[in-house]
């Protein structure tokens, strides 16, 4: 059970669905205040009201992470309204279309880079300024096992997730002196609307390559994010956390 020494002010981008929603619920269930930003307004408000119905504190604000002015306003609004930002989970992401590199549409490439990489950069820029000024904080960027290896047909996604790893490590080096921890979570496939879109309901390939022999529900991944945000992870920074049922340990040959 992660411990939080006091109530934290936490933001979650992409908190309307999938892992972001599970993370918002997990952080709130530990007594923290959660601010959800997402382009999906109805689903984001629903997540906040579901958390409130369960006795937690959550708020929703519309946010497109590709809009730099909106990102700045979102983070300034949280800092002004709540006085600080303790934890930021930069989770909003898209998978992009599936093509080989020579056929990858330029506009799809740009969109994936804009959301997954530049969106995280824009969020970090303002989150780090607030956290450095207040003397501490924890940022968790949601990468992927695709931050650590390739996946055929997903060049834009893989490039964006690899770059997030470099961005995470660099920020960890730059802000450790201000007690700001910056980590990246590298999950393997887990059940969300994104994995439904990618696998069309057939998860047999991913399950057979996973030593634990199953795909995780989103809340099993969210637990690790919550721990990285918590005071128990106080000496963890610059780390890439694989949460993938053992998939990255290597392939399993038939006996
Ligand atoms: N599902 C998986 O198997 C898997 C595996 C590894 C990593 N991930 C990563 O986990 C994160 C969450 O993905 P998910 O599986 O929950 O997918 P999802 O599609 O269920 O959720 C993604 C959320 O991000 C939001 N979003 C998209 N573009 C946005 C934008 N421009 N501004 C703000 N919000 C935006 C969506 O509206 C949605 O609520 C992503 O970064 C994804 O790359 C997912």
């Amino acid at each position: 059970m992660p411990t939080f020494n006091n109530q934290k002010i936490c933001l979650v981008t992409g908190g309307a669905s999938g892992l972001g929603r599970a993370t918002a619920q997990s952080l709130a269930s530990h007594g923290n205040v959660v601010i959800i930003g997402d382009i999906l307004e109805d689903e984001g408000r629903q997540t906040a009201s579901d958390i409130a119905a369960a006795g937690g504190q959550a708020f929703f604000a519309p946010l497109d992470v590709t809009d730099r002015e909106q990102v700045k306003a979102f983070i300034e609004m949280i800092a002004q309204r709540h006085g600080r930002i303790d934890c930021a989970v930069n989770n909003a992401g898209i998978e992009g279309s599936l093509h080989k590199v020579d056929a990858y549409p330029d506009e799809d490439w740009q969109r994936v880079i804009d959301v997954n990489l530049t969106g995280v950069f824009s969020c970090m820029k303002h989150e780090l300024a607030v956290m450095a000024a207040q003397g501490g904080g924890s940022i968790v960027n949601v990468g992927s096992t695709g931050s650590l290896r390739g996946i055929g047909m997903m060049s834009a996604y893989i490039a964006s997730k690899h770059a997030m790893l470099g961005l995470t490590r660099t920020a960890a080096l730059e802000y450790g002196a201000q007690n700001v921890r910056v980590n990246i979570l590298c999950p393997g496939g887990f059940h969300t609307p994104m994995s439904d879109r990618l696998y069309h309901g057939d998860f047999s390939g991913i399950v057979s390559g996973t030593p634990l022999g199953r795909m995780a529900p989103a809340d099993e991944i969210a637990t690790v994010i919550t721990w990285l945000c918590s005071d128990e992870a106080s000496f963890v920074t610059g780390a890439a956390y694989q949460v993938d049922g053992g998939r990255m340990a290597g392939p399993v040959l038939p006996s």
Side-chain angles (χ1 to χ4, degrees):
M1 199 67 165
T3 52
F4 291 86
N5 292 337
N6 44 25
Q7 184 181 63
K8 310 280 191 205
I9 306 300
C10 309
L11 75 85
V12 181
T13 72
S17 166
L19 179 58
R21 175 180 156 88
T23 300
Q25 289 173 318
S26 172
L27 285 166
S29 75
H30 287 86
N32 301 302
V33 177
V34 181
I35 300 91
I36 295 162
D38 204 299
I39 47 175
L40 295 179
E41 299 195 18
D42 290 347
E43 292 86 342
R45 289 203 172 84
Q46 187 63 49
T47 301
S49 75
D50 288 348
I51 289 171
Q57 288 188 71
F59 305 93
F60 171 77
L63 173 70
D64 181 344
V65 296
T66 67
D67 182 331
R68 290 168 198 244
E69 288 307 312
Q70 240 187 69
V71 169
K72 182 170 183 279
F74 176 72
I75 291 166
E76 282 177 0
M77 174 274 290
I78 298 169
Q80 273 167 18
R81 205 170 281 178
H82 298 278
R84 54 190 296 113
I85 300 174
D86 301 297
C87 311
V89 182
N90 297 319
N91 158 83
I94 57 172
E95 65 275 24
S97 56
L98 305 184
H99 306 275
K100 289 172 73 172
V101 173
D102 70 290
Y104 210 92
D106 291 343
E107 57 278 16
D108 292 12
W109 169 274
Q110 196 56 56
R111 180 72 192 156
V112 173
I113 298 297
D114 287 349
V115 176
N116 294 5
L117 179 56
T118 311
V120 170
F121 166 72
S122 300
C123 290
M124 286 177 73
K125 195 169 177 173
H126 300 290
E127 293 158 1
L128 285 164
V130 171
M131 290 177 179
Q134 72 193 14
S138 172
I139 292 178
V140 181
N141 292 327
V142 178
S144 163
T145 49
S147 300
L148 306 164
R149 64 166 193 170
I151 301 175
M153 311 299 280
M154 296 191 77
S155 54
Y157 183 82
I158 294 298
S160 70
K161 295 292 184 181
H162 271 64
M164 277 175 65
L165 174 61
L167 182 58
T168 301
R169 286 176 168 156
T170 303
L173 297 172
E174 292 176 353
Y175 293 89
Q178 281 89 40
N179 195 33
V180 180
R181 299 184 295 104
V182 190
N183 294 290
I184 184 166
L185 190 88
C186 300
F190 52 92
H191 289 293
T192 67
M194 181 186 285
S195 54
D196 286 342
R197 288 191 297 272
L198 281 171
Y199 297 101
H200 307 290
D202 179 7
F203 303 108
S204 55
I206 193 162
V207 166
S208 66
T210 301
L212 289 183
R214 62 183 176 84
M215 272 185 48
D219 56 4
E220 207 173 354
I221 310 291
T223 296
V224 183
I225 299 180
T226 297
W227 178 77
L228 282 168
C229 289
S230 78
D231 298 309
E232 281 182 355
S234 54
F235 202 55
V236 180
T237 195
Y241 263 76
Q242 291 169 215
V243 187
D244 65 349
R247 198 170 163 77
M248 288 295 289
V252 182
L253 297 179
S255 55

